[in-house]
Amino acid sequence: MQYFQAVQKGKQIASKSQMKMFDIAGFSMLTLTTKKIDGKFEPVGEEEFTAVINSPDGYVAIIVDKDGFTKAQSKALEKEKSLEIFRKLRESGIPEYPGKDIQIWSESRPTIQNENSE
């Protein structure tokens, strides 16, 4: 698949996740629309999983594909507020991302939803 085609298809897929995040969080930002696998660009996957990560600005609830590529995110919030959005996403039928790390922009970040509360 050519890069432009991957971007177009990925945008359609990620936009669906963005709308689900918006419905629950009241805000949603589209993140990645493509991923690079074995040197080839592909659209993000149709699958949806949710997690929470720590960003430089706070905690962010996210929706990712099966490979951990982030498709949509909430705004940066306090940890408990992000975990609340995560719980609502789970209640809506989106399973928890089983992996430990996700890919957002050009960074890999650990998920934190299962950390012990301080």
Side-chain angles (χ1 to χ4, degrees):
M1 180 176 287
Q2 293 180 346
Y3 176 75
F4 178 74
Q5 292 171 311
V7 168
Q8 292 301 101
K9 177 132 177 77
K11 188 171 185 211
Q12 292 172 350
I13 294 167
S15 291
K16 292 176 188 172
S17 298
Q18 182 185 20
M19 291 313 301
K20 288 181 183 178
M21 178 67 75
F22 182 82
D23 288 344
I24 288 173
F27 173 90
S28 181
M29 185 166 55
L30 192 70
T31 52
L32 299 175
T33 58
T34 60
K35 56 188 177 182
K36 202 170 189 180
I37 306 286
D38 297 327
K40 295 179 183 162
F41 285 101
E42 297 179 16
V44 289
E46 298 267 359
E47 328 74 31
E48 290 182 321
F49 295 91
T50 185
V52 176
I53 59 169
N54 191 357
S55 76
D57 300 319
Y59 292 87
V60 179
I62 56 171
I63 297 176
V64 301
D65 72 5
K66 69 178 174 57
D67 296 318
F69 285 84
T70 307
K71 301 190 286 181
Q73 72 172 61
S74 70
K75 59 185 166 186
L77 300 163
E78 295 175 11
K79 186 176 185 178
E80 194 49 48
K81 294 242 186 237
S82 288
L83 288 169
E84 185 179 321
I85 293 168
F86 165 78
R87 285 190 286 275
K88 287 180 181 178
L89 287 165
R90 294 275 295 115
E91 289 166 7
S92 79
I94 299 175
E96 179 177 343
Y97 179 64
K100 298 287 182 210
D101 293 300
I102 60 92
Q103 188 70 32
I104 184 164
W105 309 118
S106 61
E107 301 175 3
S108 179
R109 293 196 171 272
T111 59
I112 62 94
Q113 67 271 10
N114 294 315
E115 285 182 346
N116 293 332
S117 296
E118 283 110 52

